[in-house]
Amino acid sequence: MTMLRVDNVSKQFGGLKALQDVSFSVDEGTIFGLMGANGAGKTTLFGVIAGQIRPNGGTITFDGRPLAGQRPDQICRMGLGRTFQIVRPFANLSVLENVIVSAMYGAVRAHRLEAATQAGRRALDEVGLGHLADQAAGSLTLSNQKRLEIARALATGAKLLLLDEVMAGLTATEVAQMSETLFRLRQERKLTILIIEHVMGALMNLSDRILVLDHGVPIAMGPPEQVVADENVIRVYFG
Ligand SMILES: Nc1ncnc2c1ncn2[C@@H]1O[C@H](COP(=O)(O)OP(=O)(O)O)[C@@H](O)[C@H]1O
Ligand SMILES: [Mg+2]
């Protein structure tokens, strides 16, 4: 089953073409990687999918439903969760309080504190932050702040996760641990994951399929081994 379809999406900021005619689809339960240099349009694409940026053209279909005209909060409640490249937890709230807020906001619609707390604790356990539940979110290491971002998206009840550079700035060991966590989440929650990552080895290892953007233009798409061997990708990355 197709979880997400992006058809001919374009976005311009003034005269800058940030996305040009981008199309792809992501099957349920798979990990789809987005690659491209700084400024290639990756984060803009996430913004368009999550309803935060209105495209100039094209359509998005999530879980069989067209997203045109839906607000970000409505899209979130439909089961689409995203993390942000710049982490922004409520720094003064505890780790647990951060995920409780997300659970109350998202698809779970856990309006009762008890249910929200339960969804929050589950999300923390799933990303390995259960033991830090009572710490202030602002006191976490970068690696754990990235994990908290993922837990916040999970606590909304997301079935599709958009992860924007959750491995940036992590050590090699932390990258390996994060990859393990993502594989386990996909397995246990039957999640579909769309992931932007500069750590190319990790992206290759995680992704079932990869799309490469160059200045907003799709230049290659396919399984990782096919994409690394693509002549356009070699030219842009290594040429
Ligand atoms: N809100 C905005 N207004 C104007 N230009 C923007 C805006 N957001 C992004 N851009 C530009 O669009 C291009 C793509 O940016 P972005 O999607 O953040 O790239 P990436 O995430 O691949 O590094 C860049 O040239 C960036 O400067
Ligand atoms: Mg970006």
Side-chain angles (χ1 to χ4, degrees):
M1 201 206 107
T2 302
M3 179 57 75
L4 179 74
R5 268 189 60 160
V6 172
D7 288 303
N8 306 108
V9 162
S10 297
K11 176 65 191 176
Q12 285 180 227
F13 294 111
L16 178 87
K17 293 179 174 171
L19 295 170
Q20 300 187 51
D21 215 14
V22 176
S23 299
F24 61 94
S25 65
V26 183
D27 285 340
E28 185 176 8
T30 64
I31 300 181
F32 189 93
L34 264 182
M35 226 170 94
N38 262 332
K42 307 180 297 297
T43 297
T44 301
L45 183 56
F46 270 17
V48 170
I49 295 169
Q52 287 136 353
I53 296 175
R54 191 177 290 268
N56 295 97
T59 57
I60 316 273
T61 312
F62 170 49
D63 203 14
R65 287 188 283 180
L67 293 187
Q70 302 280 337
R71 295 190 313 263
D73 60 305
Q74 294 171 319
I75 293 172
C76 173
R77 291 195 179 98
M78 289 164 74
L80 191 146
R82 77 166 289 191
T83 68
F84 289 87
Q85 194 168 346
I86 314 294
V87 294
R88 46 184 195 194
F90 299 108
N92 296 323
L93 295 188
S94 74
V95 167
L96 179 60
E97 286 163 344
N98 265 272
V99 284
I100 289 175
V101 170
S102 297
M104 289 182 142
Y105 177 80
V108 172
R109 263 184 272 200
H111 291 310
R112 286 174 52 239
L113 184 59
E114 201 181 319
T117 305
Q118 205 175 1
R121 284 205 183 275
R122 176 177 170 212
L124 290 183
D125 285 339
E126 284 176 320
V127 301
L129 289 183
H131 63 298
L132 299 174
D134 298 325
Q135 300 243 348
S139 73
L140 294 179
T141 62
L142 176 68
S143 171
N144 283 337
Q145 290 198 26
K146 299 277 190 181
R147 285 176 181 270
L148 177 56
E149 277 284 294
I150 298 172
R152 290 170 77 200
L154 285 175
T156 66
K159 52 191 171 192
L160 172 64
L161 272 189
L162 311 186
L163 305 179
D164 197 345
E165 300 203 19
V166 291
M167 298 185 183
L170 305 195
T171 67
T173 307
E174 290 168 338
V175 166
Q177 290 165 340
M178 186 67 90
S179 298
E180 254 173 60
T181 298
L182 296 181
F183 276 133
R184 191 165 37 73
L185 281 175
R186 175 189 40 187
Q187 192 72 22
E188 290 173 2
R189 281 237 191 190
K190 306 207 184 330
L191 282 176
T192 309
I193 299 176
L194 194 54
I195 180 164
I196 294 173
E197 205 49 66
H198 270 296
V199 184
M200 214 203 274
L203 193 71
M204 295 282 161
N205 173 45
L206 276 167
S207 304
D208 298 297
R209 288 165 63 75
I210 290 177
L211 168 67
V212 186
L213 291 176
D214 180 38
H215 298 286
V217 179
I219 58 166
M221 182 162 57
E225 58 279 8
Q226 181 187 316
V227 161
V228 277
D230 185 281
E231 57 183 42
N232 288 323
V233 176
I234 291 170
R235 184 170 41 75
V236 167
Y237 270 81
F238 313 107

